Amino acid sequence: MANLIVRRLLQLIPLLLGISFIVFISLHLAPGDPASMIGGPTATKEDLASIREDLGLNDSLFTQYLRYIGGVLQGDLGYSYQTQQSVTEAIMIRFPNTFNLSVASIIVATVIGVGAGIISAIKQNTSLDVLSTVGALAGISIPNFWLGSMLILLFAVYWQWFPVAGITSPPWTMQGIKELALPAITLGTGSAALIARMTRSAVLEVIRQDYIRTARAKGVREKNVILLHCMRNAMIPVITVIGLNFGFLLGGTIITEQVFAINGVGRLLIQAIAARDYTMVQGAVLLIATLFVLVNLLVDILYALVDPRIRYE
Amino acid sequence: MKRKWQGWVALFLALSLVTAGCTPPPPNAGSAGNQTFVYASTADVVGLSPIKTNDSASARAIDQIYETLFVRDPETMDIKPKLARSYENPDPNTWVIHLRKGIQFHDGIPFNAEAVKYTFDKFRDPKTAAPRASLLKPIDKVEVKDPYTVVIRTKKPYGPMLAALAHSNASIVSPIADKKGDLMKKPVGTGPFKFKKWVQGDKLTLEVNENYWDGKPQLKEVEFRVVPEVSTAISLLETGEVHLIDTLRPENLDRLKNSNKVNVKTKEGTPVTYLGFNMKKGPGKDSDFRRAVAHAINQEELVDALKGVAHPSKGIIGPKVFGYNPEIEKAGYDYDVKKAKDLFNKAGMDGKSVTIMTANTKNYPKLAELVQGQLAKAGLKADIQTLEFGAYLDRNRKGDFEMVIGGWTNSTADGSELLYPQLHSDNIGATNGTQTSIPEADKRINQSRTTTDKEKRLKVLHEANKLLVKEAPWVPLCHDFIVTATTKNVQGLEVDATGQWTLKNVSLK
Amino acid sequence: MAMDTAVSTGGVPVEAPSPEQPKRLASTWKRVIKNRLALVGLIIIGMQVIMAVFAPLITTYDPAVLDLSVKELPPGSKGHWLGTDEYGRDMWSRIVYGARISLVMGISSVALGLIGGVALGLLAGYYRWLDGLLMRVVDLMFAFPGILLAMLIIAMLGTSLVNVVIAISIWSIPSCARIVRGSVLSLKNREFVMALRSIGASDIRIMLKHILPNCTAPIIVFGTMRMATAILSTSALSFLGLGAQPPTPEWGAMIAAGRDFMWTSPHMTVIPGIAIMLVVFAFNVLGDGLRDALDPNMETR
């Protein structure tokens, strides 16, 4: 296990180098540069020239990349071209919101997904099964920006049960939960469908297995049988989905944060790409990639804990 | 079997209800009592230094924190002194500006001629890399004559000087605060509100400046919230969580006009939206083609489709901009599909197609679709290419397009500051995206910049306007209305034609 | 937004070559038909295909021509049974032509993604020495949120549907590569591959003629579900203003444009929303049905 962790963390280094290189190149290939965006539509040639000089954009690409990577290796993600704020600081302000949103949406997805999955497995081929399958699939089929706007209109404007947008309170307060509810539902429905689907097949598989039959035969009450054995096995799809979809979740936060005016890393990214804020995009992407790898590592560890049959070399 | 699963279903329902937070709704977060005013901006405030920023979201905040030497009257658009008391021109190259006494910056240091000199020198220093440095470029020297008199010298007479000094970016900053700290994060000015707290990307909080020299404001605090989606911002306005929004699209107006909680105010503004041609290459080189397009554009229909967020004018310099003369309306091309068809024939463009580039912001995509429809009626097929703003800006600078739909906010409200950057040959490769180079127009634009005589400026600007409308590097599509929506309890908000506003006299009833 | 479907197709087992391919196809078909939901999906997709192919025949208006005299008509209006949009364009025409666009977008981006993914997966699975390197590349692609990748590609190449196709297909590559690699790994040490190798068949021949046909089941399932993803992703990019160029009747762009009319003309956003939902739903259930049908262990009854 320790071996696995060390190996994965070592693999992270070339991965991050690769990502930073790709992001760097693609941003520089995109038309426009930070100076152009800082100067805005009113900038004259002189304005642009002095901004470029000030930002060091006249150096060769190679020099710029080395300068950047040199900083990163010393733990310095640099400064935003646009706001001149430290990139680390800018990300740290926003990361908690994104994190809370992701966790809340995973909770929503798990509750709905595992519930629907178990019901449809137990009630296999009944109308309840069809209903929850259809429901889960409908969830995956709704464009989430559309769902978000609809939820705001209904629950925040019409009924006013929830605040419209923004996050102002910590997630453990009532206000914080309410603020997270709509965005978490918006983001979580997609994953819920996947979890439901996988839970259903996992539970079906378990039901057919011998030890369940044995347990039943031994006279254990059905509810307990299912509870004990299925839940444990249902954990695996949940973990898998969380792990594999973490990238998706972070991607989803980009749109959800936009709709719900949440000051998160996703929105930071949209703006930074639009502003050609090279350092900011780099920093945020590196953070996301690192998280992705760490979450997947965590998932693998959890696998091993939940299912002792899984072994890592 | 059935009964055993009821428990599960109940648990599942209960959990989803808890997660969905189905608790009794709170009443409106009514902030009317404590006089905190909330403004929702669709864009992030980039920074809070007037020297280092050039975006409208930052400008809105800067307008509350800092002040300029001169301001525009929001109604008449006349320029009047603010931090300045008066000024005189002993000769056209010299501006002697007398300052108000007894004003303090938020950090307690006095406002004086030194501060003005410091601000402008810093602003003009190429090392500062101020994005809007061009605004004060004509200034040669700033001198302190006595503590409350500053002398600005230019090499050539500079007509739009007062308009430039009234621009948000020419706000006066506290020299001590700038030297010691970072105005981008901790702004210090003389304005009615001072900096309290800023969570970047989320919320900027300002508090009242108790010592404000021009009467203490009624609001206690002002919040700038970032809400990227206009429809979300409108929802916030309807629930009373936000008091003011000013980036409305025509689509939103119907929804708001039916609302009993919201006041929508519109007034004619300075921004102009145009259809431009690449004057250096492609079909736009041919004046017949440009005239054909001008005849094919039905401005009334465009304005109508924009549902009252735009007003018509044939002029490039529109009704709210200095240099406008109503006679321009007769000089423009009238809507005439037949003439347009004939001219397209003459230009050899019938049955051919062109590409219109535009940005995916504001009303541009909508206008592009409408223009596309109108050109189709006259027999010209147009493809639309909407770009994200950065790419649009880049290609516009390089002149890499056939036709373009763009706009110019004109935050100085002075015609020179529209024609010079956008249509003068000096600025090809930067702001003059259409690469217009018409010597006759250049001459008049230069004249408007190098004289301080108001009447003469009006005259040459009108001439330039007429000339450019005839030559048609731009076909004006519409001129914007400034639209603000507030909750019903907001009083005393003054918005000027450039879209600038101050919260100094605002109160919540 | 899109889901990663790698997980859900992972369960499809790889079978040894069977001489009776046609028979197997027929039995799969029967099983899919038997599955009610998959049948519904098939019907919806069939309708979409019909709409896409016969679009000019079943509409009376050009989806791109404006007529401001009839703008924002509600559904049920005379001559426009689904109403019109803010420019007076017929909603039915736009939905029908939109079906064509979403189908073309989906097929082309999935096809491109499959080509890339299959190639990567085959190589990585077959050549052990390439495996490490290629899988690191795949990891790298995985660690990039798809929408971010798309935003970068579009910032670089510009906004157009072609670039959206490129972005979405690149985004499909890593999951597809993993699935194919997994199948190849389990196949390549099987007896028939050993036998082929011993009689001197070339690697390329073995990969393309013998291994690839045996991984078709998971690829088909993946491709079907990926169609759903591609259609959703296109609409998400349109929402961010990075997708279709106006006046292209792309469904996602229609939703995004219609959202502002939610209060006054809700049909402008609800109708394309339903269209997307139905189609995405259809591809998902069909994918599900195919997976069940192709999996001999999953006897559902």
Side-chain angles (χ1 to χ4, degrees), chain B residues 75-311:
Chain B
E75 288 314 313
T76 61
M77 294 306 276
D78 287 334
I79 294 176
K80 55 186 190 186
K82 181 80 180 177
L83 288 176
R85 198 156 40 88
S86 62
Y87 76 97
E88 69 245 3
N89 290 115
D91 64 79
N93 278 321
T94 310
W95 300 76
V96 179
I97 299 168
H98 304 284
L99 307 177
R100 279 183 200 275
K101 294 175 186 167
I103 298 177
Q104 283 186 345
F105 286 103
H106 301 155
D107 57 0
I109 72 154
F111 162 78
N112 56 25
E114 281 298 340
V116 175
K117 178 176 164 54
Y118 175 86
T119 302
F120 290 170
D121 283 350
K122 174 105 188 213
F123 192 86
R124 298 183 306 123
D125 185 351
K127 274 194 233 114
T128 307
R132 200 64 209 269
S134 58
L135 192 69
L136 300 182
K137 196 170 164 256
I139 294 180
D140 182 41
K141 241 187 284 171
V142 182
E143 292 161 1
V144 176
K145 195 173 158 202
D146 65 56
Y148 292 99
T149 309
V150 67
V151 180
I152 294 177
R153 293 188 195 281
T154 55
K155 281 200 179 122
K156 276 188 284 181
Y158 184 48
M161 176 65 88
L162 292 182
L165 294 182
H167 191 281
S168 301
N169 285 123
S171 295
I172 309 301
V173 306
S174 157
I176 304 282
D178 184 52
K179 281 180 214 156
K180 271 200 317 216
D182 185 358
L183 292 181
M184 287 292 271
K185 283 184 209 156
K186 290 220 166 65
V188 180
T190 58
F193 296 93
K194 59 185 184 187
F195 178 78
K196 188 175 175 195
K197 190 175 173 231
W198 185 21
V199 182
Q200 290 201 353
D202 189 30
K203 195 161 73 176
L204 165 70
T205 313
L206 308 178
E207 62 186 345
V208 66
N209 174 7
E210 300 279 351
N211 304 319
Y212 186 58
W213 60 277
D214 196 14
K216 196 184 131 190
Q218 287 172 287
L219 296 172
K220 217 173 137 217
E221 276 193 1
V222 176
E223 279 179 20
F224 282 64
R225 261 181 83 176
V226 186
V227 182
E229 280 291 303
V230 180
S231 41
T232 310
I234 293 174
S235 298
L236 285 166
L237 190 70
E238 288 185 324
T239 56
E241 288 166 78
V242 156
H243 300 103
L244 166 67
I245 53 180
D246 62 356
T247 38
L248 287 161
R249 289 194 300 264
E251 301 78 295
N252 312 130
L253 289 182
D254 286 339
R255 174 177 168 191
L256 283 178
K257 276 178 181 155
N258 297 332
S259 164
N260 56 358
K261 293 176 189 145
V262 175
N263 276 337
V264 180
K265 274 197 190 137
T266 55
K267 77 192 275 183
E268 294 188 347
T270 57
V272 54
T273 308
Y274 60 86
L275 174 63
F277 301 91
N278 189 330
M279 300 284 282
K280 284 271 167 70
K281 58 179 189 233
K285 274 198 311 194
D286 184 349
S287 67
D288 284 333
F289 174 73
R290 299 199 301 270
R291 280 193 293 144
V293 171
H295 278 303
I297 296 298
N298 181 353
Q299 208 184 38
E300 250 169 66
E301 189 185 74
L302 298 178
V303 169
D304 192 48
L306 291 178
K307 291 183 181 172
V309 304
H311 55 113

Side-chain angles (χ1 to χ4, degrees), chain C residues 207-293:
Chain C
M207 272 194 270
L208 294 183
K209 283 248 164 171
H210 301 280
I211 292 186
L212 185 56
N214 284 298
C215 336
T216 42
I219 294 175
I220 288 172
V221 174
F222 174 79
T224 313
M225 296 204 163
R226 204 70 200 181
M227 284 290 290
T229 310
I231 291 168
L232 268 186
S233 316
T234 311
S235 78
L237 287 171
S238 291
F239 166 77
L240 293 174
L242 303 173
Q245 301 290 302
T248 315
E250 200 277 314
W251 289 343
M254 288 167 71
I255 296 183
R259 258 175 342 130
D260 288 320
F261 297 87
M262 209 36 226
W263 287 131
T264 46
S265 313
H267 70 280
M268 282 170 52
T269 172
V270 170
I271 294 173
I274 292 173
I276 291 193
M277 261 186 72
L278 281 179
V279 168
V280 174
F281 178 80
F283 279 106
N284 274 321
V285 286
L286 181 63
D288 264 359
L290 278 171
R291 190 188 48 216
D292 292 351

Side-chain angles (χ1 to χ4, degrees), chain C residues 3 32 44 58 71 84 92 119 126 129 161 188 226 249 257 278 283 297:
Chain C
M3 277 292 154
V32 171
I44 296 176
I58 53 178
K71 64 182 178 189
T84 58
W92 166 244
Y126 196 79
W129 55 275
L161 282 182
K188 77 168 178 188
R226 204 70 200 181
L278 281 179
F283 279 106
N297 301 330

Side-chain angles (χ1 to χ4, degrees), chain C residues 144-163:
Chain C
F144 246 83
I147 197 101
L148 171 65
L149 185 76
M151 283 166 65
L152 280 178
I153 289 174
I154 285 159
M156 203 160 50
L157 302 177
T159 35
S160 79
L161 282 182
V162 176
N163 296 337

Side-chain angles (χ1 to χ4, degrees), chain A residues 29 70 102 158 174 197 224 264 272 308:
Chain A
L29 284 177
S102 309
Y158 190 70
M174 201 57 219
R197 204 191 261 177
N224 297 340

